[in-house]
Short mmCIF file of all heavy atoms in Angstrom, two decimals:
data_model
loop_
_atom_site.label_atom_id
_atom_site.label_comp_id
_atom_site.label_asym_id
_atom_site.label_seq_id
_atom_site.Cartn_x
_atom_site.Cartn_y
_atom_site.Cartn_z
N GLU A 81 -147.65 39.27 201.95
CA GLU A 81 -147.52 37.84 201.60
C GLU A 81 -146.96 37.72 200.16
O GLU A 81 -147.19 38.63 199.32
CB GLU A 81 -148.88 37.18 201.61
CG GLU A 81 -148.85 35.71 201.30
CD GLU A 81 -150.26 35.10 201.38
OE1 GLU A 81 -151.21 35.79 200.94
OE2 GLU A 81 -150.40 33.98 201.85
N VAL A 82 -146.12 36.75 199.94
CA VAL A 82 -145.56 36.47 198.61
C VAL A 82 -146.05 35.04 198.22
O VAL A 82 -145.79 34.06 198.97
CB VAL A 82 -144.01 36.54 198.54
CG1 VAL A 82 -143.47 36.17 197.17
CG2 VAL A 82 -143.59 38.00 198.92
N VAL A 83 -146.64 34.93 197.05
CA VAL A 83 -147.10 33.62 196.61
C VAL A 83 -146.22 33.22 195.35
O VAL A 83 -146.17 34.02 194.40
CB VAL A 83 -148.57 33.67 196.19
CG1 VAL A 83 -149.01 32.33 195.63
CG2 VAL A 83 -149.40 34.07 197.35
N TYR A 84 -145.63 32.10 195.43
CA TYR A 84 -144.79 31.58 194.28
C TYR A 84 -145.67 30.59 193.49
O TYR A 84 -146.31 29.76 194.09
CB TYR A 84 -143.53 30.85 194.80
CG TYR A 84 -142.58 31.77 195.44
CD1 TYR A 84 -142.55 31.94 196.84
CD2 TYR A 84 -141.54 32.42 194.75
CE1 TYR A 84 -141.63 32.78 197.50
CE2 TYR A 84 -140.67 33.28 195.39
CZ TYR A 84 -140.70 33.43 196.76
OH TYR A 84 -139.81 34.25 197.36
N LYS A 85 -145.63 30.72 192.18
CA LYS A 85 -146.32 29.83 191.36
C LYS A 85 -145.46 29.21 190.34
O LYS A 85 -144.52 29.84 189.75
CB LYS A 85 -147.47 30.60 190.58
CG LYS A 85 -148.58 31.11 191.52
CD LYS A 85 -149.75 31.75 190.69
CE LYS A 85 -150.85 32.22 191.66
NZ LYS A 85 -151.97 32.79 190.89
N CYS A 86 -145.62 27.94 190.08
CA CYS A 86 -144.84 27.15 189.13
C CYS A 86 -145.71 26.84 187.88
O CYS A 86 -146.94 26.50 187.99
CB CYS A 86 -144.33 25.84 189.77
SG CYS A 86 -143.30 26.09 191.17
N PHE A 87 -145.05 26.85 186.73
CA PHE A 87 -145.71 26.67 185.46
C PHE A 87 -144.96 25.65 184.60
O PHE A 87 -143.72 25.59 184.70
CB PHE A 87 -145.93 27.98 184.69
CG PHE A 87 -146.75 28.97 185.33
CD1 PHE A 87 -146.20 29.83 186.32
CD2 PHE A 87 -148.10 29.08 185.12
CE1 PHE A 87 -146.95 30.80 186.96
CE2 PHE A 87 -148.85 30.04 185.73
CZ PHE A 87 -148.34 30.91 186.70
N PRO A 88 -145.65 24.89 183.84
CA PRO A 88 -144.95 23.81 183.02
C PRO A 88 -144.29 24.32 181.81
O PRO A 88 -143.55 23.61 181.15
CB PRO A 88 -146.06 22.81 182.77
CG PRO A 88 -147.30 23.66 182.73
CD PRO A 88 -147.13 24.69 183.77
N SER A 89 -144.56 25.56 181.46
CA SER A 89 -143.99 26.05 180.13
C SER A 89 -143.86 27.57 180.18
O SER A 89 -144.55 28.23 180.92
CB SER A 89 -144.84 25.62 178.99
OG SER A 89 -146.11 26.38 178.99
N HIS A 90 -142.94 28.08 179.31
CA HIS A 90 -142.88 29.51 179.18
C HIS A 90 -144.12 30.16 178.70
O HIS A 90 -144.52 31.25 179.11
CB HIS A 90 -141.67 29.84 178.14
CG HIS A 90 -140.32 29.64 178.72
ND1 HIS A 90 -139.86 30.44 179.75
CD2 HIS A 90 -139.36 28.82 178.39
CE1 HIS A 90 -138.60 30.03 180.10
NE2 HIS A 90 -138.29 29.06 179.30
N ASP A 91 -144.84 29.50 177.77
CA ASP A 91 -146.09 30.05 177.24
C ASP A 91 -147.12 30.30 178.37
O ASP A 91 -147.75 31.36 178.33
CB ASP A 91 -146.68 29.13 176.22
CG ASP A 91 -145.87 29.08 174.92
OD1 ASP A 91 -145.09 30.03 174.67
OD2 ASP A 91 -146.03 28.09 174.16
N GLU A 92 -147.21 29.37 179.28
CA GLU A 92 -148.24 29.50 180.32
C GLU A 92 -147.88 30.63 181.31
O GLU A 92 -148.73 31.43 181.77
CB GLU A 92 -148.41 28.18 181.09
CG GLU A 92 -149.08 27.16 180.19
CD GLU A 92 -149.53 25.94 181.08
OE1 GLU A 92 -150.05 26.15 182.21
OE2 GLU A 92 -149.40 24.81 180.61
N ILE A 93 -146.60 30.72 181.65
CA ILE A 93 -146.19 31.82 182.62
C ILE A 93 -146.30 33.17 181.94
O ILE A 93 -146.71 34.15 182.51
CB ILE A 93 -144.81 31.60 183.20
CG1 ILE A 93 -144.56 32.56 184.32
CG2 ILE A 93 -143.73 31.73 182.12
CD1 ILE A 93 -143.28 32.27 185.08
N ASN A 94 -145.98 33.26 180.62
CA ASN A 94 -146.13 34.49 179.92
C ASN A 94 -147.58 34.89 179.84
O ASN A 94 -147.92 36.08 180.08
CB ASN A 94 -145.55 34.36 178.51
CG ASN A 94 -144.09 34.22 178.47
OD1 ASN A 94 -143.39 34.33 179.48
ND2 ASN A 94 -143.54 34.00 177.31
#
Side-chain angles (χ1 to χ4, degrees):
E81 182 181 39
V82 176
V83 178
Y84 294 93
K85 293 185 178 182
C86 298
F87 297 86
S89 70
H90 284 293
D91 288 341
E92 289 193 41
I93 191 172
N94 290 356

